[in-house]
Amino acid sequence: MSETKELLFEQEYNVGEKLIFSLYREKEGERITVSLCYRFDQPGMEQVTCKRIFFSEKAEQYQSTYLSWYNLICCSNNYGPIPVVDYMNHAVQNGKKLAATIYPESAQAYMQILAEVGDDYYCYPYHTREYNYLLYISKKGTLSDYFDLERVMQVYEACEVSLDRAKMQDYFSRELSWFGNEELCPIQLHDCIGEEELAVTGLLLGYPIESTIALIRKEIDMCE
């Protein structure tokens, strides 16, 4: 039996009728389960679990203002089921994550975002073959300016995931603009392959380390 069940957040999403997504965290011993559920906002409709993510409590040892379950689940670039476009368009500027690929709804919105960020951020087109107005936006600096590599490595090691230290050091030393340059950076942000690449992309886009560990260890259940 779980020791605790905590509601992390709820998010409404209108798909012609209102859906309510809920994210729960449950603890049983040292084992954590994070469950994504949804229900239609109608009388008598039951809640359905659509995803479960499992990891050791040790995976939660590194936290940051730039990492959150909200960034993982509620994003506009289809990593999660809830496209909260307004949030994603300004998440980097609001200090919620280091980088994002964002989808302005129109040419006007595209130009407005470019004008807003000015010289304070990196912001330019990314992978325009995928979407006409797709932008990459990031803070300035490197991953090492925002995250402690040694502590990150320790968390992965505690969860029995061995990352290549030299590769991680190289990625951590790169200016954040490098990750948005498809000609230079070998990491495909929307189709990432490799343990170190997944670890780095997770940090870059603001996903909890524990979710990336679960992904690498293949401890995610898609219930539907």
Side-chain angles (χ1 to χ4, degrees):
M1 181 178 296
S2 64
E3 299 171 13
T4 60
K5 184 174 182 178
E6 174 189 3
L7 176 64
L8 299 180
F9 66 79
E10 287 189 333
Q11 176 72 48
E12 294 183 359
Y13 178 38
N14 195 324
V15 292
E17 53 185 325
K18 189 185 295 182
L19 277 171
I20 300 175
F21 282 86
S22 304
L23 194 72
Y24 297 95
R25 177 188 181 276
E26 296 181 73
K27 182 177 184 295
E28 186 173 357
E30 294 186 358
R31 186 72 164 169
I32 306 296
T33 303
V34 169
S35 302
L36 179 65
C37 307
Y38 72 89
R39 66 177 174 85
F40 288 93
D41 190 22
Q42 298 175 1
M45 298 299 292
E46 294 186 0
Q47 192 172 68
V48 177
T49 300
C50 57
K51 182 183 292 186
R52 284 195 294 262
I53 302 171
F54 308 97
F55 49 86
S56 165
E57 189 176 18
K58 297 173 183 177
E60 297 180 320
Q61 291 178 355
Y62 190 92
Q63 302 294 317
S64 165
T65 57
Y66 298 113
L67 305 176
S68 73
W69 286 103
Y70 201 89
N71 285 336
L72 178 66
I73 302 300
C74 297
C75 73
S76 63
N77 33 359
N78 297 321
Y79 293 126
I82 317 169
V84 185
V85 176
D86 289 342
Y87 172 80
M88 283 297 295
N89 284 350
H90 299 93
V92 174
Q93 301 93 306
N94 291 335
K96 302 298 185 181
K97 58 196 302 183
L98 295 187
T101 52
I102 59 178
Y103 298 70
E105 296 177 345
S106 64
Q108 181 180 359
Y110 179 98
M111 296 306 296
Q112 182 176 350
I113 290 173
L114 286 175
E116 287 174 353
V117 299
D119 295 329
D120 295 331
Y121 302 86
Y122 298 114
C123 188
Y124 44 78
Y126 180 80
H127 202 104
T128 53
R129 298 182 302 280
E130 180 178 328
Y131 185 84
N132 287 339
Y133 300 128
L134 180 59
L135 287 171
Y136 172 86
I137 182 171
S138 78
K139 295 177 74 70
K140 293 191 172 182
T142 67
L143 284 172
S144 62
D145 292 325
Y146 301 96
F147 299 115
D148 186 326
L149 176 57
E150 289 305 314
R151 288 183 57 203
V152 169
M153 294 287 290
Q154 288 169 7
V155 172
Y156 275 90
E157 289 168 6
C159 296
E160 301 180 349
V161 177
S162 298
L163 299 177
D164 184 285
R165 182 172 295 274
K167 287 183 72 173
M168 292 295 289
Q169 288 173 335
D170 177 51
Y171 288 142
F172 263 63
S173 70
R174 298 284 185 170
E175 190 69 23
L176 295 178
S177 58
W178 182 77
F179 295 99
N181 188 325
E182 287 190 289
E183 294 183 2
L184 296 177
C185 179
I187 301 175
Q188 297 183 41
L189 298 181
H190 295 172
D191 190 19
C192 191
I193 298 174
E195 294 184 358
E196 293 78 19
E197 288 72 21
L198 285 168
V200 164
T201 300
L203 293 173
L204 186 71
L205 300 181
Y207 305 153
I209 288 178
E210 51 267 35
S211 70
T212 306
I213 288 173
L215 178 62
I216 291 172
R217 291 176 55 87
K218 297 181 173 60
E219 294 185 315
I220 298 177
D221 283 349
M222 302 298 292
C223 305
E224 287 195 329

